[in-house]
Amino acid sequence: MIVRFETTSQTIATAINAIHHGSGQPVQYITTDSRLIEDKSLFVPITGNTFDGHDFIEDVCKTGKCTSFLTHKQDKVNIADRYNTSAIYCNDTLQAYAAIARWHRKKFNIPVIGVTGTNGKTTTKEMIAQVLSTEGQCLKTQKNYNNEIGVPFTILHLQNTHSYAVIEMGMNHPGEISRLSQIALPTIAVITNIGEGHLEFLGSTENVAHAKAEILDGMAAGSICILNNDTKHAEIVKKKAREKNINVITFGLTGDIAPESYTLFQDKTVVEYDGVEITVPAYGFHNVYAAIATIAVARIMGKSVVKVKEALHNFKPVAMRSDIKKGRCTIIDDCYNANPLSMEYAFISASMVFPDKRKIAVLSDMKELGTYSRDLHFTVGTRLKASGFSHVLVWGNDARYIAEGAIAGGLDNSLVNVFDSKEELIAFLQQFVKHDDVVLVKGSRSMKMEEVVNALEQ
């Protein structure tokens, strides 16, 4: 991850209150990846679970391209003397990287929209960015760069040509979104929803709400929080907003900004607001919430609903988030991730769009649910028959509880299959599916359920 960023090593050291060692050096790039060293680079070694970037400081200095580096290890400082580079000694290189980005962010007086939530962050971020980019250059989070390395990386791309920025913020531990918010300093926050995500680390949905509310920590009094009115524990966010004098505007199927109607189709989602029909060429119930959140942002920024309609007409859905694909059958590729709320949305979508089709749920584990995992997998399973699924196929350590829930929810034993491996599931599925079937494929990222999708596409 490298970004062009022209300054000097001494300027950076002063900006982040760190100790500068050696002669001042020009900086034209900042990178956390030792493999991406360009001429006049500042190298930021990050200490991770597998690698410690400090182990590569000498190697990058040997290239002659690295003019300076950050370090929080005193024994690495003298490397600068051997290679005529400068060392910036700090307490923690990850925190220093964040401080550089925060220092850079403060140079820009533009609207910055921060987006967080248990589900729908990326789709909502993309829709908002698409609308804003019709009236000016909009910086947005790329790929899944929504963490403590990705957010600073994104912010460091801010230039004078940008009129807006939309920054996605993810987390799985308390305190992370607070740190990200204090880097990005949002002027508007969007909380898409609060659900059973990362319970292994957070313990309860109340704690999830407190963690999502951390997005307010980097916001000034008088800023605006756009909050899903239909979500759990909205009051936790509202209370914190009141304490910080941040205005709350609610959105959703209910709230301050809500659709007059919505309709789901296989190839589009239609939302009517203020008499205007907005068509998003994407499948899935989650797009209703994303579109309404986008309308809320547009209204706050003085942009018309017609502008939203025009911008979202050519929206491209994000890969593996409810992609409709054709192969041996109709495939709903929802493999990017899974938690109970996203499962519920997936079931609602299939039920509404394919009411008369034979629907097969091919599901795997939802990760990071901690001690709640068994009960939450079981509860997800109980909803399958009511959502119109006639068959359930699962594999994974905890996915078997989905199967138990499906049977408890009214599906016959013979319609529920548990497999010991993904390969066995695929082999069965390839023989079992018919051309007219609709197959939902979903599981957490680590389960790599796209392999099932690929097999069905062939």
Side-chain angles (χ1 to χ4, degrees):
M1 299 172 75
I2 187 167
V3 56
R4 187 169 181 85
F5 190 83
E6 295 203 30
T7 184
T8 67
S9 57
Q10 183 66 66
T11 301
I12 287 177
T14 301
I16 66 173
N17 197 28
I19 298 170
H20 189 275
H21 178 87
S23 59
Q25 296 286 346
V27 172
Q28 290 188 355
Y29 294 91
I30 297 179
T31 182
T32 58
D33 191 331
S34 61
R35 299 163 297 181
L36 300 176
I37 297 292
E38 298 287 348
D39 191 40
K40 298 182 178 64
S41 285
L42 167 69
F43 176 52
V44 182
I46 303 297
T47 302
N49 295 327
T50 307
F51 297 104
D52 185 346
H54 287 81
D55 297 337
F56 304 101
I57 290 175
E58 187 145 14
D59 289 340
V60 298
C61 288
K62 284 178 181 177
T63 66
K65 295 180 178 180
C66 176
T67 53
S68 53
F69 58 87
L70 286 171
T71 181
H72 55 239
K73 296 186 176 182
Q74 185 67 56
D75 62 343
K76 298 294 183 181
V77 170
N78 291 334
I79 293 175
D81 298 330
R82 295 201 290 274
Y83 297 97
N84 191 32
T85 61
S86 62
I88 301 172
Y89 182 64
C90 58
N91 292 327
D92 180 276
T93 53
L94 184 60
Q95 291 177 17
Y97 189 47
I100 295 169
R102 177 183 167 91
W103 165 66
H104 183 62
R105 160 69 182 95
K106 287 181 174 180
K107 300 174 186 176
F108 300 89
N109 183 26
I110 61 171
V112 174
I113 296 90
V115 181
T116 194
T118 301
N119 294 313
K121 294 183 293 294
T122 302
T123 299
T124 304
K125 175 259 298 182
E126 290 290 329
M127 285 195 191
I128 293 169
Q130 183 143 331
V131 171
L132 296 181
S133 64
T134 62
E135 295 192 350
Q137 192 172 346
C138 181
L139 176 71
K140 67 177 182 179
T141 304
Q142 301 292 330
K143 301 180 182 178
N144 61 343
Y145 294 166
N146 63 5
N147 58 18
E148 292 190 80
I149 297 176
V151 168
F153 173 76
T154 303
I155 292 294
L156 288 169
H157 280 83
L158 268 175
Q159 298 176 8
N160 291 327
T161 54
H162 287 116
S163 301
Y164 314 98
V166 187
I167 309 297
E168 181 181 333
M169 301 182 196
M171 51 74 70
N172 52 26
H173 289 82
E176 289 177 356
I177 288 179
S178 178
R179 293 190 288 274
L180 300 182
S181 178
Q182 292 177 72
I183 296 167
L185 306 175
T187 56
I188 297 172
V190 178
I191 299 179
T192 60
N193 45 51
I194 295 161
E196 298 90 347
H198 311 299
L199 293 183
E200 181 179 351
F201 310 113
L202 293 165
S204 68
T205 50
E206 288 89 347
N207 288 341
V208 174
H210 285 294
K212 300 305 181 185
E214 290 174 7
I215 197 171
L216 307 180
D217 290 351
M219 299 177 70
S223 302
I224 296 173
C225 174
I226 299 172
L227 174 65
N228 186 331
N229 196 55
D230 306 330
T231 197
K232 294 180 178 180
H233 310 305
E235 273 306 319
I236 289 175
V237 179
K238 291 177 182 178
K239 180 176 182 293
K240 182 168 183 176
R242 286 193 297 270
E243 292 168 354
K244 293 183 64 65
N245 195 24
I246 290 171
N247 302 311
V248 174
I249 293 176
T250 58
F251 77 97
L253 303 185
T254 63
D256 299 323
I257 299 178
E260 285 141 33
S261 66
Y262 69 91
T263 315
L264 307 183
F265 299 91
Q266 185 171 335
D267 59 349
K268 62 185 177 182
T269 301
V270 179
V271 175
E272 184 180 357
Y273 180 83
D274 199 19
V276 178
E277 271 199 359
I278 298 168
T279 299
V280 182
Y283 165 88
F285 179 63
H286 63 286
N287 292 300
V288 175
Y289 279 106
I292 295 297
T294 301
I295 291 168
V297 171
R299 280 196 55 179
I300 288 165
M301 298 181 68
K303 303 184 189 307
S304 70
V305 181
V306 173
K307 178 66 70 176
V308 176
K309 172 187 172 78
E310 292 170 350
L312 295 185
H313 181 71
N314 296 315
F315 180 76
K316 288 182 170 42
V318 185
M320 292 197 293
R321 292 168 172 87
S322 295
D323 282 356
I324 299 291
K325 297 181 174 179
K326 293 292 186 180
R328 293 170 178 263
C329 55
T330 298
I331 309 157
I332 305 171
D333 177 359
D334 204 352
C335 298
Y336 184 76
N337 220 333
N339 55 47
L341 185 57
S342 69
M343 285 284 194
E344 181 180 339
Y345 284 4
F347 298 168
I348 290 171
S349 303
S351 175
M352 293 183 70
V353 176
F354 302 103
D356 301 323
K357 295 282 189 178
R358 185 173 82 150
K359 292 185 287 295
I360 302 165
V362 180
L363 308 174
S364 195
D365 290 355
M366 302 179 289
K367 295 295 189 181
E368 297 185 2
L369 295 178
T371 57
Y372 296 91
S373 188
R374 178 173 183 167
D375 289 345
L376 290 172
H377 280 83
F378 183 89
T379 300
V380 161
T382 63
R383 295 174 176 150
L384 283 159
K385 183 176 182 181
S387 300
F389 285 89
S390 57
H391 296 78
V392 179
L393 283 61
V394 303
W395 83 277
N397 290 332
D398 286 355
R400 65 184 184 275
Y401 302 123
I402 296 177
E404 290 180 8
I407 294 167
L411 278 175
D412 190 89
N413 275 326
S414 63
L415 306 176
V416 180
N417 297 80
V418 179
F419 297 89
D420 293 329
S421 71
K422 193 189 307 176
E423 291 71 26
E424 289 179 17
L425 184 155
I426 288 171
F428 175 86
L429 193 57
Q430 287 176 321
Q431 299 301 317
F432 179 70
V433 296
K434 301 174 183 176
H435 180 71
D436 287 339
D437 289 344
V438 173
V439 179
L440 167 66
V441 185
K442 190 166 178 63
S444 278
R445 185 82 295 274
S446 60
M447 306 310 290
K448 297 183 178 178
M449 292 297 280
E450 64 271 18
E451 294 172 8
V452 178
V453 173
N454 294 340
L456 287 174
E457 280 189 292
Q458 292 170 5

